[in-house]
Structure formats: C-alpha cells, structure tokens
Amino acid sequence: MKRLAFYLSLALVVLALASCKGDGKSLITPASSGRPYEVLVVADDNCWMSPDSALYHVLDTDVPGLPQPERSFRISRVRTAYYDRTMRLFRNIILVDINPKAYTQVKFKYSRDVYSSPQMIMTIQAPNQKEFDDYVSRNGNLIIDFFTRAEMNREIKMLEKKHNQVVSAKVGSLFDCDIWMPIEMESYKEGKDFFWSSTNLNDLNFVMYTFPFKDKDTFTKAYFIHKRDSVMKINIPGEREGMYMETADSSLVDVRNIAVKGDYAFEVRGLWEMKNDAMGGPFVAHMRVDRANARVIVVEGFVYNPGRLKRDQIRRLNAALYTLRLPSEKTVSEIPVDGALTEEKVEHKAEQTSNK
C-alpha cells in the first residue's frame, strides 16, 4: 500500500508539473527553436522548387509601410522526409500535404504547442499542386496575418508580464484607458488630449490622442492624415522653428479595417517625416471608438532608426497597440490568428459606426 501511495503521489506531481508552470508552459514541452518571424516550410521539391511557387512568393512578400523592402518572414524549407524530431521544434511551421487520394478540396487547419512551446503549426491540404497554388495565392494575406498575429500574441504575453507602469499610469490618468508599452520607453511628454512616450534613443515611440466623434467620414484615409498632421504639428516639433512631424507621401499610406476585441477598428500604416528636416521612418496606428464617451481614440507607434531594418520594431509596437483597453473593457484579448471576425463582419460594423 505504501508503494502504491508513493507511485500515485509521484504521478500527481508529474501531472501538476506538466500542466502548470509560472508562464503557462508545460515543463515537459521543450522550448521552440527559431527566431521571431521565422517560418519553416515542410514541402517536397515539386511544390517548393518551381519558379512560380505560390507559397514562397506569399511568404516573401514585403511588409507594407516600411521605407525599405523587408520581407514578411525569414524562410526555411525542409523536405517532408527530413521533417524529424529536431525540425518539429520550430516555432512557426507550415506543413504542405498534397494527396489526390486523401483530399477533394483545399483546406487548412492549425494547432498550437504540439512539439514545443510557443509553437504554431499550419497544415494546408490539397488534392493537387494547381489547386494548392490557387488557394495560397488567393489567401496570401490570411497566411501572412496568421503567423504575424501568432508572433504578436507572444509579444503581448511578454508585455503582460513586463511593461512600462509609468506609461500605463499616465494613460490611465489622461484618458481613463490602459495600454502596455515596452518597459524601455521611459521618456514622455503630455499635451492637451495628447501623450507621447519614447525610449531614450528615440527609436521606439508611442503616441495617443483623442477627439470627439462627430463626423461619419472619420474612418477614411484622408480624414486620418488630416487629423494626424494637425495633432503632430502642435505636439511634436523639431529642433528649430518650422520643423514638425507630418505624414509623408499619402499615396504610400495603407489603411484597412481590423477587429480588436471583436469590435471595429481602423489600422493605418505609412511613413512619417520631419518637415524641413531629414528625419523620418514608419508608423502604424489604430483608430477606435470609445462609444461610452463619444470620442475617437488614436494610438500610434512610430520608429526612428536610420540606416537599420525596422520590421521587427514596428511589429513590436503594433502588438502593443492591441493591448489598449478602453474604459468599458476589463481584459486584454488575444488577437484571433484565424480571423475569427470575418472581413464582412468588420465592414458591417464599419458601416454602423459611420452612420451613427
């Protein structure tokens, strides 16, 4: 009986350790390999080596809104036969499964933390190469967003554990909101309905401002640029008179409707510049409606890092923007990697918002 009790206790301890750890990971699940925004593709030569490989061209797409070309992901590829125990530890994996005997149509599925943690595995199943290529070409943005959001969710988990408490307190006192910004953003400036924080090197920057929600055309590119430029001109001047921040070429500004916590939001990406100066860089912004207070809230991250790559920095700031909590919101939600709120539903909410 004592031996039975001992083994039972040992089993309970093992189960507890396997299912519970401070950061939510299992102690018996190894840490994933690979760098952020690196994807391992498991595909045979017929799929991957053709000159017009759809999957390669999708993953190799440049990130919008950056001053120089930077592709969406670092890409690694392994043949299916060499997808072994070591390869299965990658943090982001795409499994290509083309089998005319098993499938009659193309579909994709995904799973989390199967062989390591954190990990996201997407499997694309197809009956033949042509239907696979057609599907991937049509759904390229879905694939890019899937892994980008998975990485941003990992960033949000890190921000939850360690973020700048001063910025959170300032945002709380000025706007009755909360947001998690990287801990190194220690400098800040306050204005009327305006807040700006940055690192001591000024490479990472966060801006937040509000204005009354009155115009049905608020959520358009033209309105956003006009409002942004007027706010930045007042609050972010340059070193000398006549210098101030403004949006660069409007034709390079990209806008789209997104979902934040299941509600409509407006995402804007583009380039900023300092009027009458040589400074500039990329920015990403979210516009959201605080219905309880009849106001629009804009949160923006912008990067100043001349001569260096900026993809990971702007994505890090974009992840932080998703942590914004309006006065009516109690928690920070995970970004749905599979686009749980469809584009049609987002468009419908956009129309409702504009018509109020």
Side-chain angles (χ1 to χ4, degrees):
M1 288 296 294
K2 290 183 178 179
R3 179 175 295 181
L4 178 61
F6 169 77
Y7 284 122
L8 180 59
S9 300
L10 181 61
L12 291 173
V13 170
V14 170
L15 285 173
L17 291 174
S19 62
C20 183
K21 187 181 175 185
D23 57 4
K25 300 177 186 176
S26 168
L27 283 176
I28 61 174
T29 302
S32 55
S33 61
R35 295 171 290 181
Y37 300 103
E38 182 174 11
V39 176
L40 173 69
V41 178
V42 182
D44 290 330
D45 290 349
N46 289 338
C47 173
W48 189 253
M49 301 300 288
S50 64
D52 53 348
S53 170
L55 185 55
Y56 173 80
H57 290 305
V58 163
L59 297 176
D60 198 50
T61 303
D62 287 338
V63 178
L66 295 181
Q68 69 282 322
E70 294 187 55
R71 63 183 184 177
S72 296
F73 305 101
R74 300 179 183 93
I75 309 168
S76 301
R77 200 272 299 199
V78 65
R79 296 182 181 92
T80 304
Y82 296 98
Y83 181 52
D84 58 15
R85 183 178 301 176
T86 301
M87 293 297 179
R88 288 188 177 97
L89 297 181
F90 257 74
R91 64 196 287 138
N92 300 311
I93 300 174
I94 298 178
L95 299 176
V96 177
D97 186 7
I98 299 176
N99 188 337
K101 296 180 179 179
Y103 311 116
T104 59
Q105 62 183 5
V106 186
K107 63 179 180 179
F108 90 93
K109 59 183 181 180
Y110 70 92
S111 52
R112 304 170 188 254
D113 301 341
V114 177
Y115 306 108
S116 63
S117 181
Q119 184 183 58
M120 192 69 77
I121 300 177
M122 171 188 284
T123 303
I124 306 177
Q125 301 168 333
N128 56 65
Q129 186 65 48
K130 184 181 184 307
E131 291 189 46
F132 172 85
D133 286 338
D134 289 345
Y135 178 88
V136 169
S137 297
R138 290 195 313 269
N139 295 280
N141 287 335
L142 181 150
I143 295 170
I144 292 171
D145 283 350
F146 179 89
F147 287 105
T148 301
R149 292 178 178 188
E151 290 287 4
M152 289 199 297
N153 280 329
R154 293 161 189 164
E155 177 67 28
I156 289 171
K157 285 185 179 297
M158 290 189 287
L159 286 170
E160 182 178 13
K161 298 173 191 173
K162 192 175 183 180
H163 57 272
N164 193 300
Q165 298 289 347
V166 174
V167 171
S168 292
K170 290 290 182 181
V171 167
S173 63
L174 291 171
F175 305 104
D176 192 26
C177 296
D178 189 20
I179 198 165
W180 299 337
M181 281 291 140
I183 196 162
E184 63 267 32
M185 300 180 74
E186 298 177 339
S187 302
Y188 62 88
K189 172 187 175 181
E190 299 178 31
K192 183 179 181 344
D193 299 321
F194 177 87
F195 179 74
W196 172 23
S197 69
S198 67
T199 63
N200 291 329
L201 297 175
N202 289 323
D203 56 343
L204 301 180
N205 296 264
F206 163 66
V207 165
M208 182 170 180
Y209 55 92
T210 66
F211 54 90
F213 180 37
K214 297 178 180 179
D215 196 324
K216 68 176 184 179
D217 297 322
T218 295
F219 292 89
T220 63
K221 182 168 84 169
Y223 190 99
F224 172 84
I225 293 174
H226 169 74
K227 177 60 70 173
R228 181 183 188 275
D229 286 350
S230 64
V231 170
M232 298 305 189
K233 183 175 182 178
I234 295 171
N235 293 285
I236 305 186
E239 292 183 354
R240 296 190 298 274
E241 186 175 353
M243 294 182 178
Y244 52 86
M245 178 182 282
E246 64 178 7
T247 307
D249 188 350
S250 62
S251 66
L252 300 178
V253 174
D254 290 324
V255 302
R256 66 170 181 166
N257 299 319
I258 61 172
V260 179
K261 301 179 180 67
D263 197 7
Y264 170 76
F266 193 62
E267 181 188 83
V268 187
R269 296 174 179 271
L271 301 176
W272 64 272
E273 63 186 5
M274 192 64 72
K275 181 76 171 180
N276 299 319
D277 200 356
M279 298 176 65
F283 73 84
V284 59
H286 292 182
M287 289 178 66
R288 298 184 60 195
V289 179
D290 176 13
R291 293 178 176 82
N293 296 289
R295 60 179 178 170
V296 175
I297 294 181
V298 180
V299 286
E300 175 182 319
F302 67 89
V303 173
Y304 177 62
N305 197 8
R308 298 183 180 181
L309 299 178
K310 304 168 182 66
R311 181 197 68 181
D312 289 358
Q313 289 180 309
I314 203 69
R315 281 175 165 173
R316 186 183 182 199
L317 289 172
N318 193 21
L321 299 185
Y322 276 94
T323 69
L324 172 66
R325 278 186 285 174
L326 303 180
S328 59
E329 296 169 342
K330 299 185 182 300
T331 61
V332 173
S333 302
E334 183 179 83
I335 309 168
V337 294
D338 57 350
L341 186 65
T342 65
E343 184 176 343
E344 288 78 11
K345 289 181 180 178
V346 171
E347 293 283 356
H348 179 63
K349 288 197 175 187
E351 292 175 2
Q352 291 181 324
T353 300
S354 297
N355 291 330
K356 288 184 178 179

